[in-house]
Amino acid sequence: MRKYVQQQTAALLQRLATQVNRAAGTGSPDAIHDLRVAIRRLSRGLRVFAPFYRDDSWKSIRRELRRVMQMAGTVRDRDIAVGCLAKAGVEKGAAIVTRLRAERRRANREFLDEIRGWKELGIARQWLRRLEVPLEQDDPSTPLANARHTLPALAGEYYAQVRAVLEESPDPKDLHRARLATKRFRYTLELFRSCYGRGLETRIAALRKVQQLLGDVNDSVATWTLLSKVMEKSLERKRVREFLKRRAKQGAAAFRKEWEENFDAPGRERWWKSYLKNMAKSA
């Protein structure tokens, strides 16, 4: 298992380095999105594999990842808000759009300064040296056994978490908890991809669909949280608010429908647990 952790950590850091190099160019929306995904995957990997590292260096690395994630999020929030305003029918030259674009440029400059510093330092190589995994001659644990032991229980926890959220008849903003749980579950599964066959890809695709639906809801909620602080009271502000409120409500309904009719259909949790327990293969 320790060798596997070493290999997975190196792969996650290499993926981060690739996206850092890409984002350090112009800070385009797509590059920032892909970097954020790479950060989430690495952060989750550090948390899952924490018991295998020599020391607690992973904690400070996660804090650094979180800091840059917030910087990238500030840029992305403006991109999403401008896109939502366009869908709401707000003119490209409107004052609020001009303001958001200016804020985006400022935030992007700060983000690029930071990420270019990462690139120059070769931060992924530095972190790989810090994330040492002691290799013991007598290491009875294997990725196969670890996956079979932990992932079925994790699936059960995920179902329980999302069901608990839905039982509260949540407002769209409250679905953020389900979104975070979905991300944690998906990125943990991806760490053990090589332990399973094509069946895992089918399940990850189902999770990805749930995550996308919840992401659409979150975009509307987060955009209004941002706009409510900067838009002056007007008929246009009211129209945008109603548009985003309606969009979030529709997205929440689409998520609930997908969850109840497909993801949490009768026998579906058992389908997940049985596969994760019995279909793992040598990695």
Side-chain angles (χ1 to χ4, degrees):
M1 181 64 189
R2 292 179 181 275
K3 186 67 174 178
Y4 185 80
V5 171
Q6 190 179 64
Q7 293 169 346
Q8 289 297 310
T9 300
L12 290 167
L13 285 167
Q14 180 56 53
R15 194 173 298 141
L16 176 72
T18 298
Q19 297 306 331
V20 165
N21 291 341
R22 181 174 171 231
T26 61
S28 69
D30 286 346
I32 288 177
H33 168 76
D34 291 344
L35 175 61
R36 281 165 57 86
V37 172
I39 288 175
R40 288 194 194 101
R41 284 178 168 140
L42 174 57
S43 183
R44 188 59 188 160
L46 295 178
R47 188 67 189 86
V48 171
F49 295 144
F52 297 95
Y53 297 126
R54 182 178 294 280
D55 56 35
D56 287 341
S57 291
W58 64 273
K59 292 182 179 180
S60 60
I61 292 173
R62 282 189 95 213
R63 286 194 293 271
E64 182 69 4
L65 290 170
R66 192 178 305 118
R67 186 179 66 82
V68 172
M69 188 73 161
Q70 290 172 347
M71 295 177 73
T74 299
V75 179
R76 185 179 181 277
D77 286 348
R78 272 71 188 167
D79 288 332
I80 296 297
V82 169
C84 286
L85 286 171
K87 292 176 182 177
V90 177
E91 296 292 333
K92 291 182 179 180
I96 183 59
V97 176
T98 300
R99 173 173 178 163
L100 289 172
R101 291 193 184 281
E103 290 180 357
R104 201 265 186 204
R105 287 192 295 272
R106 288 194 297 272
N108 195 46
R109 283 195 295 269
E110 294 177 5
F111 166 74
L112 286 175
D113 285 345
E114 186 68 27
I115 215 68
R116 286 167 180 167
W118 273 18
K119 181 179 178 180
E120 291 176 7
L121 290 171
I123 200 72
R125 291 192 301 273
Q126 289 189 21
W127 286 350
L128 183 59
R129 289 193 292 269
R130 290 170 59 189
L131 293 168
E132 184 181 356
V133 180
L135 297 179
E136 301 175 358
Q137 288 186 344
D138 184 19
D139 182 12
S141 63
T142 65
L144 176 66
N146 196 292
R148 284 177 169 170
H149 176 70
T150 61
L151 296 186
L154 189 65
E157 291 173 8
Y158 171 66
Y159 270 92
Q161 288 169 345
V162 178
R163 286 168 181 159
V165 171
L166 291 177
E167 284 174 2
E168 298 172 2
S169 299
D171 289 332
K173 63 181 176 62
D174 298 320
L175 291 176
H176 185 57
R177 287 180 291 152
R179 178 170 172 259
L180 293 179
T182 302
K183 287 182 178 180
R184 286 193 296 268
F185 186 34
R186 175 188 165 188
Y187 294 141
T188 301
L189 290 176
E190 289 180 351
L191 294 172
F192 294 92
R193 246 185 175 128
S194 61
C195 294
Y196 293 90
R198 294 174 63 182
L200 185 64
E201 298 306 315
T202 299
R203 287 161 176 79
I204 289 176
L207 267 178
R208 192 181 300 117
K209 183 174 183 179
V210 168
Q211 184 178 334
Q212 180 61 56
L213 291 169
L214 289 168
D216 291 343
V217 175
N218 186 71
D219 285 349
S220 296
V221 172
T223 293
W224 178 244
T225 299
L226 173 61
L227 294 178
S228 65
K229 300 173 183 177
V230 296
M231 283 189 82
E232 295 183 1
K233 291 185 178 181
S234 64
L235 289 176
E236 185 169 68
R237 183 182 190 272
K238 182 178 180 180
R239 182 167 59 81
V240 169
R241 182 190 65 190
E242 292 305 313
F243 169 79
L244 291 172
K245 183 178 179 181
R246 182 170 62 253
R247 190 168 180 259
K249 187 175 181 179
Q250 291 171 345
F255 158 68
R256 183 181 281 274
K257 184 175 187 294
E258 173 64 21
W259 178 266
E260 294 178 349
E261 295 184 3
N262 296 310
F263 208 94
D264 199 17
R268 207 63 170 173
E269 181 180 358
R270 185 170 61 253
W271 177 74
W272 270 91
K273 288 181 176 179
S274 177
Y275 178 84
L276 293 172
K277 181 178 181 180
N278 300 316
M279 298 303 290
K281 57 186 179 64
S282 298

